[in-house]
C-alpha cells in the first residue's frame, strides 16, 4: 500500500500515511468479501484465514463462524469486529455517550497539523532544530517515520513536518546553509579487519557516537 520501510524510514509509523493505507486496505477487503464484518475480521486475521473459515463452516455470517461452537478463529479476531462496531457507534453518536464533553488539557492530544516542506536528502534534524528552535525530540515526534534523525539519502524534496506557520521561513533559512553543514555524517563501508576503535580514530569521532548512530545498522557505517 505504498508504505516504505527501510533502515532510514518506517512510514507505517506516520499517522497520516498509515491511516490512508489502512483505509485502502480495508476498502480492498470489503470488495473481496462484500461484507464489513468479514472485512474487519480479515483486517485482523488475514484474508486467507477468513476464506478458510468460510469454507470450513460453509457460512459467510461472521457471527456464526465466531460463535462459541467454532474454534478456528482466535478470540482476538472474534472480539475485534465488535470493537470496530462499538467504535463506529461511539463516533457516530458521540454526544449521546458524553464524548463531546470538555477534555482536560493534560489529557488532550495536540492536533496533527504541521507545515509539510520538501527538504534535500540526508537533512539532519539537528540542523532543523537550530533553525526552528524546536527540540530534536519534538521534531522526531512530528516526523515519526524517520528512524535515524535524518531524512533518507537519495530522496530529494522529502516531506518534513515543521511547526504550523513556520514552513516558509524554515525553507528560506535552510537554503542559506551549505550542503557540508546540512548533512553531518558520512557513510563508511566496513571492510575486513575494521574495528570501531580504528574507524573512530580514522574519522576522529568518539566510539560511543558511532555506536549510537549505528544501532541495528546494516553493513554500512554512519559517522557523525
Amino acid at each position: 500500500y505504498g508504505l516504505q520501510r527501510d533502515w532510514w524510514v518506517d512510514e507505517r509509523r506516520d499517522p497520516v500515511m498509515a491511516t490512508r493505507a489502512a483505509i485502502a486496505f480495508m476498502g480492498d477487503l470489503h470488495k473481496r468479501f462484500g461484507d464489513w464484518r468479514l472485512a474487519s475480521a480479515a483486517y485482523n486475521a488475514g484474508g486467507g484465514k477468513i476464506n478458510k473459515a468460510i469454507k470450513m463452516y460453509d457460512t459467510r455470517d461472521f457471527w456464526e463462524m465466531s460463535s462459541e461452537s467454532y474454534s478456528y478463529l482466535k478470540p482476538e479476531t472474534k472480539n475485534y469486529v465488535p470493537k470496530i462496531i462499538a467504535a463506529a457507534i461511539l463516533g457516530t453518536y458521540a454526544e449521546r455517550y458524553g464524548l463531546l464533553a470538555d477534555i482536560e488539557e493534560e489529557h488532550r492530544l495536540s492536533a496533527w497539523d504541521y507545515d509539510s516542506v520538501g527538504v534535500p536528502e540526508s537533512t539532519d534534524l539537528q540542523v532543523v532544530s537550530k533553525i526552528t528552535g524546536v527540540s530534536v525530540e519534538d521534531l522526531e515526534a512530528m516526523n515519526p517515520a524517520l528512524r535515524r534523525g535524518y531524512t533518507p539519502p537519495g530522496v530529494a524534496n522529502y516531506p518534513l513536518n515543521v511547526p504550523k506557520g513556520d514552513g516558509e521561513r524554515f525553507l528560506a533559512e535552510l537554503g542559506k546553509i551549505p550542503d557540508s553543514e546540512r548533512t553531518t555524517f558520512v557513510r563508511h563501508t566496513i571492510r575486513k579487519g575494521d574495528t570501531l576503535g580504528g574507524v573512530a580514530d580514522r574519522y576522529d569521532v568518539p566510539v560511543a557516537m558511532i555506536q549510537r548512530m549505528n544501532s541495528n545498522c546494516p553493513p554500512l557505517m554512519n559517522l557523525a
Side-chain angles (χ1 to χ4, degrees):
Y1 288 88
L3 297 181
Q4 181 179 348
R5 182 179 185 275
D6 56 27
W7 195 74
W8 294 98
V9 298
D10 185 352
E11 292 178 346
R12 301 174 304 173
R13 300 176 2 174
D14 183 284
V16 175
M17 294 180 178
T19 299
R20 288 173 179 163
I23 291 170
F25 181 37
M26 185 69 87
D28 284 348
L29 289 172
H30 183 259
K31 291 177 184 177
R32 178 177 176 180
F33 292 102
D35 179 273
W36 284 116
R37 289 162 289 274
L38 293 177
S40 299
Y43 186 92
N44 179 258
K49 184 117 180 157
I50 301 307
N51 267 335
K52 188 171 181 179
I54 290 171
K55 295 176 181 177
M56 183 181 296
Y57 300 129
D58 192 26
T59 181
R60 298 184 64 85
D61 185 330
F62 170 77
W63 304 116
E64 182 178 350
M65 69 175 63
S66 64
S67 64
E68 290 185 1
S69 56
Y70 295 147
S71 61
Y72 178 64
L73 295 182
K74 300 294 185 184
E76 176 187 343
T77 302
K78 292 182 177 182
N79 293 329
Y80 186 80
V81 176
K83 288 178 180 179
I84 289 288
I85 294 172
I89 292 172
L90 291 173
T92 303
Y93 303 103
E95 186 173 5
R96 176 191 299 176
Y97 295 101
L99 299 180
L100 298 182
D102 287 339
I103 301 174
E104 294 182 20
E105 195 61 36
E106 62 185 277
H107 300 305
R108 188 182 297 275
L109 293 175
S110 60
W112 189 262
D113 189 19
Y114 305 106
D115 283 352
S116 182
V117 295
V119 299
E121 63 172 319
S122 305
T123 295
D124 186 350
L125 291 188
Q126 295 277 3
V127 174
V128 179
S129 175
K130 291 178 182 178
I131 296 175
T132 61
V134 177
S135 70
V136 171
E137 290 74 17
D138 285 344
L139 288 170
E140 289 175 337
M142 294 177 194
N143 297 275
L146 296 180
R147 303 179 66 194
R148 305 297 169 190
Y150 300 86
T151 64
V155 180
N157 294 317
Y158 182 87
L160 184 76
N161 293 327
V162 296
K164 189 71 175 176
D166 207 23
E168 192 172 325
R169 183 191 70 82
F170 166 75
L171 285 178
E173 294 299 319
L174 183 65
K176 299 175 184 178
I177 299 176
D179 290 350
S180 60
E181 296 179 21
R182 176 177 47 76
T183 302
T184 57
F185 70 91
V186 297
R187 303 200 79 187
H188 173 80
T189 301
I190 299 173
R191 296 175 176 82
K192 184 177 181 180
D194 275 351
T195 65
L196 279 180
V199 174
D201 289 342
R202 176 177 175 179
Y203 291 95
D204 193 27
V205 295
V207 169
M209 182 176 292
I210 297 177
Q211 290 174 320
R212 186 169 65 251
M213 294 187 70
N214 290 276
S215 58
N216 302 316
C217 185
L220 286 170
M221 186 174 290
N222 295 315
L223 302 161

